[in-house]
Amino acid sequence: MLIQFSVKNFLSFRDRQTLSLMRAKGDELKTSNTFDAPGGISLLRSAAMYGPNAGGKTNFLKALMTMQKTVLKSATESQSGDNLPVTPFRLSQASRKKPCEFEVIFIADRVRYQYGFAATEDRIVEEWLLAFPKGRTQHWLLRRWNPADNKHEWQIGNSLTGAKQLWRNSTRDNALFLSTAVQLNSEQLRPIYTWFRETLRMAGIGGWSPRFSASLCEKDGSMKSHIIDYLRAADVAVADIDVERKQFDDVELPDDMSGQKKEEINGQTFVRITTSRVDAEGGAVHFDFSDESHGTQKIFALSGPWIDCLDKGYIVFIDELNVSLHPYLTRFLVQLFNSSEYNPNNAQLIFTTHETSILTQDLFRRDQIWFCEKDNDHASRMVPLTDFSPRKGRENLEQAYLSGRYGGVPYTTPLNKSN
């Protein structure tokens, strides 16, 4: 369960910006769009981010992707001297010299954690971890780089047990203690690492490829039936789905393909997806997946991850959810998360979009809407809709947003005609 994520001095974000999924005041859509989490806090099932092109929405998702990648890879892939995947805000001389900062507050195995780090390309400058078992604060880790001594200073709390000295000595300057300790079998830290690896699901523009949905169709008939029901609910009249795995055969490859390319592809496995529909006479008509519309392909590609995330209570971040989708289908996908019936395991959806037709108070609470835009210094900032105090149940959010009341819209100017 995600409570909040913060980023500072990364890409277009100069100052600290925070996305919170804690429920604010107001009881609208409380039963469907919110849930009670361990520790007596109430969280949101979804959040939508609006803003102009190049306003910073995608960079916010990239920040979380970068944090996730660093947690999962820093101890296993990077070596001494390798650069970390961070890029500070470049439109300020002072910011270019400062580290990027990331922090997330979340719940894993019913325990709340607050974990973050600051990093330059060369090293982890700071790393901290607090745990709140039964609501009590425990300081597990504080690690800071001391440039005067050219080394890290460490504070490891007594509540963190295990081979702490070994983990500390094994942590390189450009690797995270969390990642290193888990690689060296820290069971106490494993739930945090697992949250980043399994619970947090990230997708860029367009979502996922159809491979995962296809793999679910292969597993058993009940899962395929579930996906077909999902497609029908989205008004995609598919009667059946067939998935076939084959190996590329040199004979089947085009004659004009280079020999080197043939050698690279030959023997690799590919997936062929075929859909079936019923014709006017009741017979089955088969279609290659590539012949389906972009919208149908995307709905199918989303079906598997959507079903899997709702079933297992994952946290999904997706960029531009509405691409290639009718507004009604975008609404349909969001409604599955904003539902205590279809989302009993409290999965969470955070997405960016330009689709304003879903910007309504019958779909979202006011605390579920965020705007991302750049200030006069070209630095991105996140602003919640609640800062504008829209009237509950009465204000037309779409109309107010498009009129510029909330910001987060592009301001165009007349184009100069060339002589």
Side-chain angles (χ1 to χ4, degrees), residues 154 156 162-172 177 180-181 183-186:
W154 295 80
I156 302 179
K164 293 182 284 189
Q165 193 62 40
L166 171 64
W167 303 336
R168 171 181 165 175
N169 293 340
S170 301
T171 303
R172 299 188 309 274
F177 174 85
T180 304
Q183 295 300 319
L184 295 175
N185 300 318
S186 170

Side-chain angles (χ1 to χ4, degrees), residues 129 140 159-164 166-167 177-194:
L129 173 61
W140 285 12
S159 299
L160 181 62
T161 60
K164 293 182 284 189
L166 171 64
W167 303 336
F177 174 85
L178 167 66
S179 310
T180 304
V182 171
Q183 295 300 319
L184 295 175
N185 300 318
S186 170
E187 292 303 317
Q188 195 175 4
L189 294 175
R190 190 169 299 279
I192 303 171
Y193 185 88
T194 300

Side-chain angles (χ1 to χ4, degrees), residues 143-377:
R143 165 195 180 195
R144 284 182 177 148
W145 178 257
N146 186 337
D149 296 333
N150 201 36
K151 65 178 183 180
H152 281 101
E153 296 177 346
W154 295 80
Q155 296 178 29
I156 302 179
N158 294 329
S159 299
L160 181 62
T161 60
K164 293 182 284 189
Q165 193 62 40
L166 171 64
W167 303 336
R168 171 181 165 175
N169 293 340
S170 301
T171 303
R172 299 188 309 274
D173 289 346
N174 64 342
L176 293 170
F177 174 85
L178 167 66
S179 310
T180 304
V182 171
Q183 295 300 319
L184 295 175
N185 300 318
S186 170
E187 292 303 317
Q188 195 175 4
L189 294 175
R190 190 169 299 279
I192 303 171
Y193 185 88
T194 300
W195 184 86
F196 279 99
R197 184 185 64 192
E198 297 181 3
T199 305
L200 192 60
R201 300 300 173 99
M202 311 291 295
I205 296 176
W208 292 269
S209 79
R211 285 181 173 269
F212 183 73
S213 298
S215 69
L216 292 182
C217 290
E218 288 182 291
K219 286 184 178 179
D220 58 68
S222 62
M223 183 56 71
K224 184 169 78 169
S225 296
H226 197 175
I227 288 179
I228 291 174
D229 289 342
Y230 169 100
L231 294 174
R232 289 173 177 169
D235 199 27
V236 179
V238 170
D240 198 7
I241 299 171
D242 181 66
V243 178
E244 180 184 11
R245 291 186 181 269
K246 294 182 62 178
Q247 284 189 333
F248 279 110
D249 190 326
D250 184 75
V251 177
E252 299 175 317
L253 297 176
D255 293 334
D256 59 352
M257 181 177 288
S258 69
Q260 181 180 356
K261 192 66 176 178
K262 283 187 177 183
E263 187 176 340
E264 292 175 359
I265 296 178
N266 191 33
Q268 292 187 13
T269 302
F270 72 97
V271 176
R272 182 181 181 183
I273 305 170
T274 305
T275 59
S276 299
R277 289 176 171 78
V278 179
D279 63 16
E281 291 72 36
V285 181
H286 304 285
F287 297 85
D288 190 85
F289 189 69
S290 61
D291 293 330
E292 297 285 358
S293 70
H294 290 302
T296 297
Q297 290 182 30
K298 181 170 182 179
I299 281 290
F300 175 76
L302 286 172
S303 65
W306 235 245
I307 292 169
D308 191 49
C309 290
L310 289 168
D311 180 58
K312 296 176 181 176
Y314 291 151
I315 302 159
V316 185
F317 279 77
I318 184 167
D319 199 12
E320 297 197 18
L321 173 62
N322 60 293
V323 172
S324 297
L325 294 179
H326 188 280
Y328 283 6
L329 292 183
T330 304
R331 173 182 282 267
F332 166 76
L333 292 171
V334 175
Q335 284 177 323
L336 292 178
F337 275 80
N338 285 349
S339 167
S340 56
E341 177 183 358
Y342 295 105
N343 186 9
N345 295 317
N346 302 322
Q348 292 170 289
L349 169 67
I350 300 92
F351 66 98
T352 72
T353 184
H354 294 291
E355 180 53 67
T356 60
S357 69
I358 64 171
L359 191 51
T360 63
Q361 294 198 50
D362 67 323
L363 180 62
F364 292 111
R365 291 169 47 89
R366 291 165 294 175
D367 50 11
Q368 291 178 280
I369 305 297
W370 290 76
F371 304 105
C372 187
E373 63 179 3
K374 290 184 177 178
D375 60 21
N376 293 333
D377 295 326

Side-chain angles (χ1 to χ4, degrees), residues 11-13 50-60 62 89 91 205 319-320 352-354 372-375 377-381 401 408-410:
L11 294 177
S12 61
F13 291 94
Y50 286 86
N53 297 105
K57 303 186 303 299
T58 299
N59 285 343
F60 195 82
K62 285 182 178 179
F89 182 75
L91 299 180
I205 296 176
D319 199 12
E320 297 197 18
T352 72
T353 184
H354 294 291
C372 187
E373 63 179 3
K374 290 184 177 178
D375 60 21
D377 295 326
H378 305 286
S380 297
R381 59 180 186 141
Y401 169 62
V409 293

